[in-house]
Amino acid sequence: MTFWRYLTPILWLAISPLAADESAAAAEPVGRVELGAPAAEADVTVACMYPMTGRPASYGRDSIAGIRVALAELAQQPDAPRLRVIVDDSRSKASFAVRMAEDFIAVDQADILCGMVSSGVGLAVSRVARKRRVIMIGTDHASSRSVLEEGHRYYFRVSSDTWYSHAAGARYLKELQAKTGWQKLAFLGPDYEYGRVAWRDLRQALGMLGVEYQVAGDYWPKLYEPDYTLYIQSLLESPPDILVTALWGGDFNAFIEQARTTNLFQQMAVANFDTGGNYDTLVALGEDPPPGLILSARHHLNWPDTERNRRFVQAFYELSGRYPSYSAQGAYAGMLVIAKAVAMVGDVSDTDAMIAALEGLHIELPKDPEGFTSYLDADTHQIVQAQAIGRPVASDRYPPARVMLGGWVVYEAELLKPSPELVQRRRGGRAN
Amino acid sequence: MKSKLSLVGRYTLLSLVLIIGSVTALSILHMRVAESITERLAGQHLEAQMAATANRLSAFLDNRIYQLETLSRHPAMPLYLAYTEAVPDGVQELVRVEADSPDLYGILFFDATDSLIQVVAGQAASGPPYWGTENWSLADLPRVQKNNTEIIGPALPRAGQPGWLLIRQPLGYLFDESAEGAVGLHVRLASLTEQIRTENLAGVVRPYLRAPGGALLDPTGTAVPRQPAGLVRGPEVFPGWHIDYVITAADILSPLRNAQLGMYGLACLMALGTVLLFWALARSLRRRIDRLVQGAEAFSSGDLHFQLDVPGPRKDEIDQVAYAFNAMAQRLREMIQRTIQVEKMAVLGEFATGVAHEVRNPLATIKLTVQALERREADMRRRGLLQDVEGEIDRLNRVVGDLLDYGRPVAAEPEHFEVRRAFRQAVAMTSSRARELGITVTASGDSRLLLYANPDQVSQCLVNLLSNAIEACGGVRGAGGSVRLRAHREGARIRVDVTDDGIGVAPDVLPRVTEPFFTTRAKGTGLGLSITRQLVQLNGGEMNIESEPGEGTTVTLLLPASDHVNNLQKHYHADTNTDY
């Protein structure tokens, strides 16, 4: 029974038409969509995988909208290469995504793979990319293992990963300890690649900064867990001073919704350094957020307050009628990075030249504060960006959210960059 | 004499008994409710809940075993052991889809030597053995077997990695029946332990999963370092795997227990407060009652002027008693005075009648004789002496008349008349004496005010008062001075003030000036003011005297106003300093 239950959709995938109706996908895509130039006119075919169903579907929808914004921007540049972008629903499952990636390469002749929200899916597809020697641009999944232990020459990431966000978080916690003297730390993360690496990155960063603390507990609910009662109860029974969580999206919103019915937020500060400042969470906080929240995300609507960022947010809003989550900025950045590399190389089929172009590529992105330009680190292939951490403050600037982050503490990009020694240690002496 | 147990003391005792009784009754009720709740929560329902939890856990394991059988019985699965490259895509898809279950980290394949040879990462996979196999081993993990299914583990959470267990079944080699590998589901430990959560008994029963090897796990999959007190062995769901639990009714009942302790504390505070309150009340009450007793004792000893302090706004029962006590004393004083006055008047009446009978007739005879002698007397000096005798006879006759008037007062026969009529008569009758002493007599006020009284008696009163006033002015200066008559309306009565700027009356003398035969003048009879007051009272009025020695005296008469005044009032206007 189990076999046939899963085999049926696999067969359906195999026989489904490769080109979906673009007009239908323009509304709220839930299956394959093709964007940009037609196959015959395209300079490069980019195949992306995002979840379009289930709890993380909003990330997939925002990523597609981010790609549309990027394509519209590129269309205004006469010399920009023409991108053909295929997007399909990974369903947040490695098995689906791996099969999909193989088909993209074999059937669609995809030149570049991109996307993935789940780190587990991202790593699985990354292995396909390495095996098939196809460049992969990670736009969202944030496990630092992707660029460190599992990094390879075909893999690049264009948004902050767990190391950058938790290196910034560790510095924030160190400064906070000097003020409040907190001692006990607990971690609550989804039990999969992303949560595990986030916790390891945080502990490693705290250790490198010499922060002394006690671990009051680490808790591992499964991804997309609907009920956090057990974990909230355990946290209340042995309360830490600080709870760092790597829950994201609907999981983090569900946790806050349940926890705010208890006195958890009165007993401990709750920090989420990588995803907690996402726009959908700020909307879910309402006008009366629980106290003690310390949040950040891979992109913020109101930081940096630059023309570049405002233009991106406005373009996204005009296109979709809503404000973007950080995943949108990642997908948008991915398209711009690919376009710039193709423009530099000219021939996307020259993979080595493309890799050389991507390594060290500088590109202006909405997340760049004044005076800084994001770039892809030649060694790790991870984009180097600053991190800003804040707390919820009342704001009606981006409705329906009633709060935005404020009271920013900004950590410069170069400060967060993993040291060569750390990279070597994480890679076990292996070169990329 | 003090009672052994005062009234307040009795009330205190009663209140304490009520408080203690109520608390005891509530405490008994509380204990019964608590026992009932404990029984309901942890008693009869526990068994059913534990059975349901065991079923849920068994079902989870059964589903995993069923899932595993799908793989272990698949004819192409042995290819993973020896010919991985030959595994068909469809079979690889199947394994990847099975590995993507949210409860699994992945699917692992072991060769005949129990070495891990293939891993298929699932959705939750992270770290070893999927990305590196360092620090990953099955050695030292407990193993239990049931039929052909082996459960290895649990590997407890450590170094920031969650715990896991391996559910494994043998997998035969394609061309070597003597060798046997295995395929296993790498299961999240928390997925298993979450099954023991007890929704309905949350807070009452704390379940734990006892794993082979003795590890005790809470529902989040965290190893419990110390075995909690009161741990009870529960049902076995797989060989070596038990659901243990601790009944922690105390936790859920702690609010009730805290409420009980709070109730006791509150009762103690209330009892203490009651004792203190009643003690303070008793002190205050005893002090005030002692004062009442002191007053009663003073009263019984004849001191009718003893007054108890009665604060104005308080007016509680004790104050009312004190007030009644004072009122009683005052009424008693007045009654005694009235009795004395009545008796005095009776004696005076008899005396006056006797005197009038015995003195007036002879005086009339003497006067006629003196008048006859006077007419025939040619010597002017003797005639003068006879006139003096005649004058003294008249004075004696007046005294007798006054005495008779005072001792046998004539009932007033009121009629309506204007006040100026009385004023005019009084001023006329005293004008010669006033001129003699150089005293100015003036009248002011509303000249047409109507009195309802006996006009002759009112005139007599005013004559008495004017005479006193003129003499008082003459006494201080010998000549000069002024006397003022003033009339105005005061409610239903007419107020008449007779004011002089004479010698005044000393305060110690003032209360006695209306007593009969009390006088400060050598030629006074001591009956003028007595008669005046008596006549005023007979006409339904009042008389008050205010005086300041050296400054003067004001005598105020309050007399009934005529009912007709309402009809006539519109014709009159206030008119001050009107001469009569």
Side-chain angles (χ1 to χ4, degrees):
Chain A
M1 277 300 288
T2 308
F3 173 77
W4 289 110
R5 194 174 74 227
Y6 290 114
L7 192 59
T8 304
I10 294 168
L11 292 173
W12 179 85
L13 273 176
I15 62 170
S16 63
L18 296 178
D21 180 359
E22 190 165 341
S23 63
E28 290 296 350
V30 292
R32 178 183 169 112
V33 289
E34 287 198 26
L35 308 170
E41 300 173 8
D43 296 319
V44 55
T45 296
V46 182
C48 299
M49 286 147 277
Y50 289 108
M52 299 180 191
T53 49
R55 196 177 261 187
S58 65
Y59 287 71
R61 288 198 296 270
D62 276 11
S63 296
I64 292 170
I67 290 171
R68 288 179 190 275
V69 173
L71 292 176
E73 197 173 306
L74 290 170
Q76 303 298 315
Q77 302 170 15
D79 297 333
R82 286 170 295 178
L83 268 61
R84 173 193 178 211
V85 184
I86 308 168
V87 187
D88 209 340
D89 184 7
S90 69
R91 302 180 69 84
S92 288
K93 288 184 179 293
S95 54
F96 271 73
V98 166
R99 176 74 264 166
M100 211 174 272
E102 295 281 7
D103 287 347
F104 279 144
I105 295 167
V107 179
D108 295 298
Q109 281 81 47
D111 301 305
I112 294 173
L113 298 173
C114 88
M116 274 73 73
V117 168
S118 163
S119 290
V121 177
L123 278 171
V125 176
S126 173
R127 286 189 164 184
V128 173
R130 180 167 56 184
K131 183 179 165 189
R132 304 298 294 267
R133 298 182 178 177
V134 172
I135 292 171
M136 173 176 165
I137 305 293
T139 64
D140 200 346
H141 56 278
S143 166
S144 62
R145 195 196 301 274
S146 299
V147 293
L148 297 177
E149 291 91 335
E150 285 287 311
H152 54 82
R153 66 190 301 260
Y154 302 98
Y155 181 84
F156 295 86
R157 281 202 77 257
V158 295
S159 64
S160 304
D161 67 358
T162 52
W163 171 261
Y164 276 81
S165 53
H166 288 92
R171 289 174 185 276
Y172 190 96
L173 291 178
K174 183 180 182 181
E175 292 160 12
L176 189 66
Q177 192 178 52
K179 293 178 189 168
T180 66
W182 69 266
Q183 281 299 315
K184 289 192 285 184
L185 180 72
F187 183 82
L188 174 72
D191 188 9
Y192 79 112
E193 170 63 16
Y194 168 73
R196 303 267 203 95
V197 175
W199 180 217
R200 190 182 61 175
D201 285 349
L202 179 65
R203 284 181 299 146
Q204 211 157 36
L206 286 169
M208 290 171 70
L209 292 171
V211 179
E212 293 187 358
Y213 62 97
Q214 303 163 24
V215 177
D218 50 349
Y219 303 94
W220 303 100
K222 62 188 165 199
L223 183 61
Y224 310 138
E225 170 67 55
D227 182 2
Y228 292 93
T229 306
L230 283 178
Y231 301 95
I232 291 169
Q233 194 176 337
S234 287
L235 283 165
L236 291 173
E237 284 173 2
S238 53
D241 301 317
I242 308 274
L243 169 67
V244 177
T245 178
L247 297 176
W248 55 274
D251 286 14
F252 187 46
N253 297 348
F255 169 75
I256 290 177
E257 191 179 343
Q258 279 185 256
R260 75 194 308 173
T261 63
T262 70
N263 62 348
L264 183 138
F265 290 102
Q266 281 72 39
Q267 292 199 30
M268 61 194 81
V270 176
N272 187 324
F273 296 118
D274 191 47
T275 63
N278 195 29
Y279 181 69
D280 68 336
T281 296
L282 298 178
V283 171
L285 289 177
E287 61 183 340
D288 187 22
L293 281 174
I294 303 164
L295 303 175
S296 186
R298 295 167 211 160
H299 170 251
H300 305 283
L301 272 60
N302 60 340
W303 186 90
D305 194 10
T306 57
E307 171 58 27
R308 187 79 180 80
N309 194 25
R310 285 194 295 271
R311 197 168 68 232
F312 166 72
V313 172
Q314 187 60 30
F316 186 97
Y317 185 80
E318 287 170 1
L319 181 79
S320 65
R322 61 180 185 273
Y323 290 107
S325 63
Y326 62 74
S327 59
Q329 198 267 166
Y332 168 85
M335 296 305 110
L336 295 191
V337 163
I338 290 168
K340 187 165 185 180
V342 171
M344 288 168 67
V345 174
D347 179 11
V348 73
S349 63
D350 187 350
T351 304
D352 290 340
M354 281 292 291
I355 291 170
L358 286 166
E359 288 180 341
L361 180 82
H362 280 66
I363 186 160
E364 291 180 2
L365 291 173
K367 197 181 173 183
D368 294 342
E370 296 290 355
F372 180 80
T373 303
S374 297
Y375 67 95
L376 286 165
D377 181 54
D379 184 19
T380 62
H381 292 186
Q382 164 65 38
I383 201 162
V384 179
Q385 291 179 323
Q387 283 291 113
I389 298 173
R391 291 175 180 268
V393 294
S395 171
D396 291 324
R397 188 174 164 189
Y398 301 101
R402 305 298 301 276
V403 295
M404 295 300 291
L405 295 188
W408 296 106
V409 179
V410 180
Y411 299 96
E412 291 177 9
E414 296 300 331
L415 199 66
L416 306 176
K417 199 172 162 183
S419 64
E421 295 75 25
L422 177 69
V423 173
Q424 283 302 308
R425 193 163 71 245
R426 291 277 292 264
R427 286 177 173 170
R430 175 181 60 80
N432 199 3
Chain B
M1 185 183 74
K2 290 187 178 178
S3 58
K4 283 184 179 177
L5 190 60
S6 68
L7 198 60
V8 176
R10 287 179 201 173
Y11 284 144
T12 309
L13 196 61
L14 183 64
S15 301
L16 285 175
V17 168
L18 283 175
I19 290 170
I20 292 167
S22 303
V23 171
T24 307
L26 282 173
S27 183
I28 292 169
L29 183 66
H30 173 274
M31 280 192 292
R32 289 189 176 170
V33 170
E35 285 169 5
S36 170
I37 291 172
T38 309
E39 176 62 23
R40 279 169 180 268
L41 291 177
Q44 54 191 345
H45 296 171
L46 175 62
E47 200 173 325
Q49 189 67 37
M50 279 299 113
T53 304
N55 287 342
R56 201 162 53 239
L57 201 60
S58 297
F60 178 83
L61 289 171
D62 289 345
N63 284 337
R64 300 289 79 74
I65 291 169
Y66 178 79
Q67 187 181 3
L68 187 56
E69 283 173 348
T70 304
L71 300 174
S72 66
R73 292 181 183 178
H74 194 285
M77 209 54 62
L79 290 171
Y80 272 100
L81 298 181
Y83 308 101
T84 312
E85 300 297 324
V87 177
D89 285 352
V91 175
Q92 288 186 37
E93 291 284 359
L94 167 67
V95 175
R96 277 203 294 263
V97 168
E98 291 292 352
D100 258 342
S101 162
D103 295 316
L104 301 185
Y105 293 126
I107 294 173
L108 311 180
F109 291 90
F110 299 85
D111 65 10
T113 63
D114 211 18
S115 297
L116 182 65
I117 55 170
Q118 285 292 328
V119 295
V120 179
Q123 179 178 303
S126 178
Y130 305 96
W131 289 278
T133 55
E134 65 280 4
N135 301 324
W136 196 90
S137 168
L138 297 181
D140 302 326
L141 293 178
R143 298 177 183 229
V144 293
Q145 183 88 28
K146 186 178 179 183
N147 301 324
N148 69 333
T149 302
E150 183 185 29
I151 293 184
I152 303 172
L156 299 177
R158 63 183 177 83
Q161 301 293 320
W164 52 268
L165 68 152
L166 192 67
I167 304 177
R168 205 165 69 160
Q169 286 185 347
L171 192 62
Y173 279 80
L174 274 181
F175 306 112
D176 186 358
E177 292 185 359
S178 62
E180 194 175 65
V183 57
L185 303 183
H186 191 200
V187 181
R188 294 176 66 246
L189 184 58
S191 286
L192 183 69
T193 56
E194 282 169 3
Q195 307 300 319
I196 64 171
R197 71 168 74 190
T198 50
E199 304 288 354
N200 297 331
L201 298 179
V204 179
V205 174
R206 287 178 175 273
Y208 298 91
L209 188 60
R210 172 75 72 181
L216 196 65
L217 305 164
D218 73 9
T220 67
T222 305
V224 179
R226 282 185 299 277
Q227 180 166 305
L231 189 70
V232 178
R233 172 57 59 93
E236 186 179 63
V237 291
F238 204 82
W241 293 82
H242 291 266
I243 300 172
D244 291 356
Y245 59 89
V246 175
I247 297 175
T248 54
D251 285 354
I252 202 165
L253 295 179
S254 62
L256 285 172
R257 190 163 295 112
N258 291 341
Q260 188 182 24
L261 291 175
M263 188 170 67
Y264 289 149
L266 190 62
C268 288
L269 281 177
M270 285 174 66
L272 184 64
T274 302
V275 169
L276 288 174
L277 182 68
F278 277 79
W279 177 76
L281 196 62
R283 271 189 64 184
S284 167
L285 204 57
R286 187 168 293 125
R287 197 166 52 241
R288 295 170 69 194
I289 286 176
D290 284 349
R291 180 78 177 142
L292 281 180
V293 170
Q294 187 184 353
E297 286 173 351
F299 198 57
S300 65
S301 64
D303 182 5
L304 296 182
H305 294 280
F306 187 92
Q307 286 285 303
L308 293 171
D309 295 333
V310 181
R314 198 163 164 182
K315 293 292 182 190
D316 60 13
E317 291 81 351
I318 302 286
D319 289 337
Q320 287 173 4
V321 170
Y323 182 81
F325 184 91
N326 287 344
M328 181 184 75
Q330 187 179 349
R331 281 198 291 272
L332 203 55
R333 278 198 308 273
E334 289 171 356
M335 191 186 77
I336 290 171
Q337 282 179 349
R338 277 199 302 275
T339 304
I340 292 170
Q341 184 68 14
V342 167
E343 289 179 357
K344 198 187 284 183
M345 291 297 290
V347 171
L348 192 61
E350 276 183 41
F351 173 73
T353 306
V355 167
H357 179 74
E358 295 298 333
V359 174
R360 265 192 160 175
N361 292 338
L363 276 181
T365 305
I366 294 169
K367 187 176 179 181
L368 285 173
T369 304
V370 170
Q371 285 173 339
L373 289 172
E374 182 193 347
R375 279 195 296 272
R376 279 177 283 180
E377 183 60 57
D379 185 349
M380 289 309 288
R381 195 178 63 85
R382 286 182 181 171
R383 176 177 270 187
L385 289 172
L386 287 172
Q387 284 173 346
D388 289 344
V389 170
E390 192 178 348
E392 287 303 311
I393 289 168
D394 288 341
R395 195 179 74 81
L396 196 57
N397 201 34
R398 277 200 311 276
V399 170
V400 172
D402 288 347
L403 196 60
L404 200 57
D405 288 344
Y406 185 71
R408 292 192 307 174
V410 178
E413 291 175 358
E415 57 183 81
H416 303 286
F417 68 99
E418 289 180 347
V419 72
R420 61 181 174 182
R421 171 179 160 193
F423 274 21
R424 195 176 294 132
Q425 283 182 358
V427 171
M429 292 175 72
T430 55
S431 57
S432 62
R433 180 60 178 165
R435 275 194 300 276
E436 184 182 331
L437 294 176
I439 307 300
T440 305
V441 178
T442 60
S444 63
D446 187 346
S447 62
R448 302 193 180 207
L449 288 173
L450 286 176
L451 288 169
Y452 182 67
N454 187 306
D456 294 335
Q457 290 178 341
V458 171
S459 295
Q460 186 182 348
C461 290
L462 291 177
V463 168
N464 288 346
L465 295 177
L466 277 177
S467 298
N468 283 349
I470 290 166
E471 295 300 330
C473 291
V476 70
R477 296 179 182 86
S482 67
V483 175
R484 188 159 58 91
L485 274 171
R486 185 169 183 272
H488 63 273
R489 190 173 182 87
E490 192 171 278
R493 298 199 282 191
I494 304 298
R495 174 174 174 148
V496 178
D497 290 328
V498 181
T499 304
D500 67 66
D501 54 359
I503 56 174
V505 183
D508 56 328
V509 173
L510 193 61
R512 301 188 58 199
V513 295
T514 56
E515 289 181 10
F517 308 115
F518 180 84
T519 181
T520 56
R521 298 202 304 269
K523 291 185 177 179
T525 61
L527 287 170
L529 282 175
S530 303
I531 290 169
T532 302
R533 189 177 71 172
Q534 188 181 57
L535 292 177
V536 169
Q537 287 174 346
L538 282 172
N539 282 277
E542 289 178 24
M543 184 178 84
N544 296 311
I545 304 172
E546 292 176 359
S547 182
E548 190 70 28
E551 297 294 328
T553 303
T554 295
V555 181
T556 300
L557 304 183
L558 291 168
L559 294 165
S562 169
D563 290 338
H564 297 295
V565 75
N566 291 330
N567 300 325
L568 298 172
Q569 196 171 23
K570 60 186 177 184
H571 301 295
Y572 299 114
H573 301 285
D575 182 14
T576 54
N577 294 320
T578 301
D579 289 332
Y580 292 88

